[in-house]
Amino acid sequence: MATNRSRRLRKKLCVDEFQELGFELNLDFKEDLDDQAIDAFLDAFLEEAMDANGLDYVGGDDFGLVCSAKRGSVSEEQRAAVEAWLKGRGELTKIEVSPLLDAWYPDKPINAAE
């Protein structure tokens, strides 16, 4: 299934050398948290974990995708920083942080050239 695409098209499709990496989050909140506590957590998460690391979050309060705020990939260091921030919080009972994956085509393997 080899496709011969121009460099411009590969860039537009975010494939091959233009592949962009991100990671998924799956969070479980403590059952006794009210909506205000969850909102406060999410505000802190977006400011301290996402904005501070140059990342964006797409999803809901308990599941989503983290990707770079600018064009490009999330680094392993950024992924580790978000995971460490989440593990330092008391509002969560379970945290699942996926390995880096293709942010546009999650079923495709990561390019070896990364």
Side-chain angles (χ1 to χ4, degrees), residues 91-105:
E91 297 93 339
L92 302 170
T93 59
K94 185 174 99 178
I95 302 162
E96 290 179 11
V97 181
S98 78
L100 291 176
L101 52 84
D102 188 314
W104 292 94
Y105 310 98

Side-chain angles (χ1 to χ4, degrees), residues 21-28 41 45 49-50 55 57 62-67 74-89 92-101:
L21 304 180
F23 60 93
E24 293 177 341
L25 290 179
N26 195 351
L27 309 173
D28 284 340
F41 168 84
F45 171 71
M50 295 294 101
L55 301 172
Y57 179 75
D62 60 347
F63 179 80
L65 176 74
V66 176
C67 54
V74 173
S75 69
E76 187 59 46
E77 292 78 24
Q78 289 170 309
R79 183 194 160 285
V82 171
E83 184 173 18
W85 188 90
L86 289 168
K87 287 183 177 178
R89 300 298 294 214
L92 302 170
T93 59
K94 185 174 99 178
I95 302 162
E96 290 179 11
V97 181
S98 78
L100 291 176
L101 52 84

Side-chain angles (χ1 to χ4, degrees), residues 5-86:
R5 297 181 177 135
S6 69
R7 183 177 195 283
R8 180 172 176 255
L9 185 56
R10 289 191 313 270
K11 184 174 182 180
K12 185 178 268 196
L13 294 173
C14 299
V15 297
D16 298 333
E17 70 269 32
F18 301 104
Q19 183 179 51
E20 295 180 352
L21 304 180
F23 60 93
E24 293 177 341
L25 290 179
N26 195 351
L27 309 173
D28 284 340
F29 290 95
K30 289 183 176 177
E31 297 215 11
D32 61 344
L33 286 181
D34 60 8
D35 289 342
Q36 288 178 328
I38 292 174
D39 288 345
F41 168 84
L42 292 173
D43 288 342
F45 171 71
L46 293 174
E47 183 178 325
E48 298 169 15
M50 295 294 101
D51 293 344
N53 289 298
L55 301 172
D56 273 340
Y57 179 75
V58 180
D61 14 335
D62 60 347
F63 179 80
L65 176 74
V66 176
C67 54
S68 178
K70 297 180 180 176
R71 186 157 196 150
S73 293
V74 173
S75 69
E76 187 59 46
E77 292 78 24
Q78 289 170 309
R79 183 194 160 285
V82 171
E83 184 173 18
W85 188 90
L86 289 168

